[in-house]
Amino acid sequence: MRSLPIYFKWLALAAFADWLVTRTLTRMAIFMPKPPAVILFYQALGFAGQAVATLAGLLALLAFGWMAWREFHSAAGRFIPAACLGAVSFNLLFLYKLPTGWLAVGYHALLLGLVLAIGRRAARSTVQSTSQKMAAIVLTLALVARELYQITPAAYQAARLAGPPAFNQVIFLSAELFALFSLLAVWWAYARTFTWKTGVLASIPALAFVAFHLLNPAMLGIISIWSTGFTLYLPWLLYAFGVWAASVVIFSATWQRSPAGWAVLLLLAGGLAPQFSVQAFLGIVALWLLSYDQNCRETKPGTAAVTAAAGQPASTG
Amino acid sequence: MLKRAHLIFLLILSLSAVLAFFKVPLASSQGLTLIARQVQGELPLSDPDSPLWQQATALEVPLSAQNVAKPLLLESKVRAITARLLHNQAQVAILVEWSDQTRDESTVRVQDFRDSVAVQFPLIEGQPFFCMGQQGGNVNIWHWKADWQADILARQDMENAYADMYVDQYPFANPPPGKLASAADYQDRNYLPALAAGNLFASEVRSTPVEDLVAGGFGSLTTQLPEFQNVQGFGAWADGGWRVIFSRDLSSQEVEDISFSPGKSYSISFAVWDGSNGERNGQKSTSQWVSLQFEGAPSAPAVAAPAAGSEGTWLTKERTRWILIGAFVLVILAGAFIYWRLPD
């Protein structure tokens, strides 16, 4: 963690703030009565959200640039840095040209390849524990399913097939299943031993989720889809446990200075069904962060022990 | 003490503020895009089985229950629709398909509600709120109704629901004894105020099953005037599902209508009502905005005339923007110089 640039932390915080403001709080405003003071407050909140979303976007592009630079100087090959730069280039191109046709297919294929390359490296790690490798693999599966969900209709469009692909809904639901399990896997790998204070603190958002579900499940479903893309089709207790597990990782990692907490924040901010390219990048940065300690060992043997130790949780160290 | 990290953060923060102020996007759309395929010849305006539709790739669009404004729909029965678009540079046709086991095409009885589907387009740059737009962000809505479709074949009335009904008398009209009075039975149309006022709901003959509307937020939905109702439609129910076609000329001169051009991008969203589930008004299943791209070469833009009063003004808006951007670049360069002079 010490060798990670500070702007990864800024990215995690900015992305989380963007998610909280622009995709959760401002969207909840539609449920409130709106006297002029509330409208003024939400106009200010909306502008702040735009600013923080731009900040998160800028930092995400910088993070991809840094990942490319870091990977370029490692022994891991040239595909990951090339794919990182390619993804940034596609992102800039699509600001001026709508992503359609084979260009869109190529972009999603590039992201899919990047996810697979990072996931493959994490799975073959000789530094990380088995549970950490499993967490990275489950997260890789979630991101692969997410990309497949987007690349399949894009390929149908490009090939001018009548469609729609019948199995796309299955892919999306698989992505939700893997995304939920990846939170649990990250918790198991990085924070399954925690202090009672952490457990109690993490219970607050989980209990809020349970209360919301019991009071108004329909509205919770809407907010969940708008906010994170989760459709809540699985048993609600699993989601409540997922919220608790993610909170434990965030709180534990904050105190242990582990990048796992940043990764979970980025996963939450990226969401299951990204509407914008930057949100798709956040999930990839999260996966890369979970395999980051290994990078250090492979490229900087002298500093690997320090870095790896900083990233290890109490339970696995 | 100012460190390099602090300076970098300040520079990134200020760059973000400038980009946000000038609304320069950094993220491209990741969502799905619906392509309006360009074809030659006549569009299949009333034939959902036409092989021409197979040239357009269908996009499956997820729907969710409308839980924003009362009356709410707590559980959606229709979870997704598929949509295809065709255009021939003169007209556009949209085919919307969804699964619905019941065919609800009558609203004669008060306990009956119709099946229907609507498509919506923003009338501003960007995307207003996806539920009926917002203040300053109007939307054009095309609403196909199953009962209006059935009315085209034969206008439905109380007799259709209650075949043995008997009417004692109608004031101001003289229908045959026991029969319902039709509009023709009234010599003075002022006794039919909705018809006299041009209310589409009261019209004697349906020319289209689609209502052309405009909205700018909840509670602002307004039917366009009868002479501006220019959207055609066709719907057919078969094998547990509806297939509905919307069609209109690509361009429209009316300010409350969306106009399309080949080669350009728009946004579209969908809403579906399942009558047998009691869905009506705000109780519906809605989608988010979906990007819509029209195939074909864009037509040459007209040369804009200079705005009145702009002659002689050196400090135009465009120049002001470039001056600000130039100033910002200077700040970045100065920051970079300071960066190298600071400790880590």
Side-chain angles (χ1 to χ4, degrees), chain B residues 32 50 53 92 113 115 142 151 186 195 284 286 296 320 333 336:
Chain B
L32 303 173
S50 166
W53 288 112
V92 60
F113 304 99
D115 294 331
W142 302 350
D151 279 351
Y186 287 85
L195 188 63
K284 59 190 174 184
T286 61
T320 308
L333 291 174

Side-chain angles (χ1 to χ4, degrees), chain B residues 35-337:
Chain B
I35 305 288
R37 290 270 183 243
Q38 183 174 324
V39 293
Q40 302 297 323
E42 295 292 314
L43 296 180
L45 304 183
S46 59
D47 183 9
D49 292 317
S50 166
L52 215 52
W53 288 112
Q54 299 304 310
Q55 293 190 23
T57 304
L59 188 70
E60 188 170 13
V61 182
L63 305 179
S64 58
Q66 191 283 117
N67 264 237
V68 176
K70 290 179 180 176
L72 308 179
L73 177 64
L74 294 180
E75 190 172 355
S76 173
K77 283 284 181 71
V78 184
R79 300 296 176 88
I81 57 104
T82 55
R84 305 168 198 263
L85 267 89
L86 294 171
H87 80 89
N88 60 3
Q89 293 193 306
Q91 283 185 303
V92 60
I94 308 169
L95 173 62
V96 184
E97 300 172 77
W98 74 98
S99 175
D100 186 343
Q101 295 304 317
T102 54
R103 180 179 185 172
D104 307 303
E105 50 187 6
S106 170
T107 52
V108 171
R109 304 188 310 163
V110 291
Q111 63 268 43
D112 291 337
F113 304 99
R114 62 179 161 236
D115 294 331
S116 61
V117 61
V119 293
Q120 174 182 262
F121 308 95
L123 291 174
I124 57 166
E125 287 286 326
Q127 296 178 342
F129 185 53
F130 70 92
C131 279
M132 321 287 286
Q134 64 195 44
Q135 193 175 22
N138 282 1
V139 291
N140 184 197
I141 295 171
W142 302 350
H143 189 180
W144 175 90
K145 303 169 182 186
D147 59 329
W148 284 27
Q149 180 76 56
D151 279 351
I152 291 176
L153 292 175
R155 190 80 156 86
Q156 301 178 87
D157 213 326
M158 297 297 286
E159 284 171 324
N160 302 101
Y162 302 101
D164 298 328
M165 67 177 288
Y166 187 89
V167 181
D168 293 327
Q169 66 160 339
Y170 281 95
F172 317 114
N174 294 304
K179 295 293 181 188
L180 282 176
S182 67
D185 294 318
Y186 287 85
Q187 289 189 342
D188 187 348
R189 290 297 176 94
N190 288 319
Y191 291 113
L192 299 169
L195 188 63
N199 187 333
L200 282 178
F201 288 79
S203 65
E204 294 173 86
V205 181
R206 298 247 181 258
S207 58
T208 172
V210 179
E211 189 180 3
D212 193 0
L213 305 118
V214 67
F218 300 128
S220 68
L221 186 64
T222 308
T223 304
Q224 294 188 21
L225 293 173
E227 56 268 35
F228 297 151
Q229 294 291 324
N230 53 2
V231 183
Q232 294 300 312
F234 176 83
W237 186 92
D239 303 326
W242 279 105
R243 290 186 295 170
V244 171
I245 299 171
F246 296 90
S247 59
R248 207 205 63 186
D249 289 345
L250 269 189
S251 62
S252 171
Q253 299 300 316
E254 296 155 26
V255 290
E256 292 179 336
D257 276 355
I258 178 92
S259 271
F260 302 108
S261 298
K264 296 231 171 135
S265 302
Y266 304 88
S267 296
I268 185 172
S269 68
F270 302 86
V272 171
W273 290 258
D274 181 1
S276 62
N277 193 36
E279 296 176 18
R280 70 276 194 189
N281 301 326
Q283 292 172 310
K284 59 190 174 184
S285 303
T286 61
S287 80
Q288 300 270 359
W289 290 113
V290 176
S291 297
L292 169 61
Q293 168 82 27
F294 273 71
E295 266 191 349
S299 51
V303 179
S310 64
E311 289 176 17
T313 306
W314 179 83
L315 199 61
T316 60
K317 203 172 178 179
E318 191 67 17
R319 281 178 178 161
T320 308
R321 173 180 292 197
W322 282 110
I323 288 170
L324 283 172
I325 291 174
F328 186 75
V329 170
L330 284 177
V331 170
I332 294 281
L333 291 174
F337 176 75

Side-chain angles (χ1 to χ4, degrees), chain A:
Chain A
M1 177 170 167
R2 287 177 192 170
S3 56
L4 272 177
I6 186 71
Y7 48 76
F8 275 87
K9 186 178 178 182
W10 301 340
L11 170 63
L13 294 175
F16 185 72
D18 171 28
W19 166 72
L20 200 62
V21 174
T22 59
R23 275 182 289 148
T24 305
L25 291 179
T26 49
R27 288 177 174 180
M28 287 179 82
I30 54 178
F31 297 108
M32 299 176 187
K34 295 179 185 58
V38 173
I39 291 176
L40 189 67
F41 171 75
Y42 268 98
Q43 280 175 337
L45 198 63
F47 182 77
Q50 291 298 319
V52 83
T54 309
L55 178 63
L58 197 58
L59 288 169
L61 297 182
L62 278 176
F64 256 56
W66 195 86
M67 281 160 53
W69 178 83
R70 186 73 184 77
E71 293 285 344
F72 186 77
H73 289 89
S74 76
R78 293 288 177 262
F79 176 74
I80 293 178
C84 285
L85 293 179
V88 171
S89 306
F90 268 120
N91 176 70
L92 297 176
L93 172 69
F94 291 153
L95 297 180
Y96 301 98
K97 180 175 171 51
L98 199 69
T100 55
W102 291 111
L103 212 54
V105 177
Y107 166 67
H108 288 300
L110 190 68
L111 292 188
L112 188 62
L114 185 55
V115 168
L116 285 170
I118 298 173
R120 177 173 172 269
R121 198 187 51 195
R124 298 172 71 182
S125 167
T126 54
V127 178
Q128 293 187 309
S129 66
T130 305
S131 59
Q132 288 174 332
K133 283 197 276 190
M134 282 306 297
I137 289 169
V138 178
L139 178 56
T140 302
L141 289 174
L143 296 179
V144 165
R146 190 180 79 174
E147 280 307 319
L148 281 176
Y149 175 70
Q150 298 203 299
I151 198 174
T152 309
Y156 267 68
Q157 293 271 18
R160 304 177 82 94
L161 299 175
F167 46 84
N168 223 26
Q169 193 68 12
V170 177
I171 294 175
F172 184 82
L173 296 179
S174 306
E176 181 161 342
L177 182 75
F178 287 130
L180 184 60
F181 281 176
S182 67
L183 290 178
L184 304 180
V186 170
W187 164 73
W188 183 258
Y190 291 89
R192 66 175 178 267
T193 305
F194 51 88
T195 63
W196 67 269
K197 283 182 186 173
T198 304
V200 170
L201 266 179
S203 300
I204 295 171
L207 288 174
F209 178 90
V210 172
F212 205 167
H213 171 79
L214 294 176
L215 289 172
N216 195 336
M219 194 179 290
L220 175 66
I222 295 291
I223 291 289
S224 170
I225 288 172
W226 285 355
S227 172
T228 60
F230 280 83
T231 60
L232 306 187
Y233 80 94
L234 292 165
W236 65 273
L237 271 174
L238 265 179
Y239 293 97
F241 187 45
V243 171
W244 178 83
S247 306
V248 167
V249 176
I250 291 168
F251 292 131
S252 299
T254 304
W255 294 324
Q256 293 171 9
R257 298 172 61 78
S258 160
W262 302 354
V264 170
L265 282 178
L266 290 170
L267 287 174
L268 286 174
L272 185 62
Q275 301 267 311
F276 296 108
S277 53
V278 165
Q279 292 164 9
F281 289 2
L282 296 180
I284 295 173
V285 175
L287 178 62
W288 189 85
L289 280 176
L290 289 181
S291 65
Y292 180 67
D293 290 340
Q294 181 202 355
N295 302 342
C296 294
R297 174 65 66 89
E298 284 178 350
T299 56
K300 294 182 179 177
T303 58
V306 173
T307 312
Q312 295 290 333
S315 59
T316 55

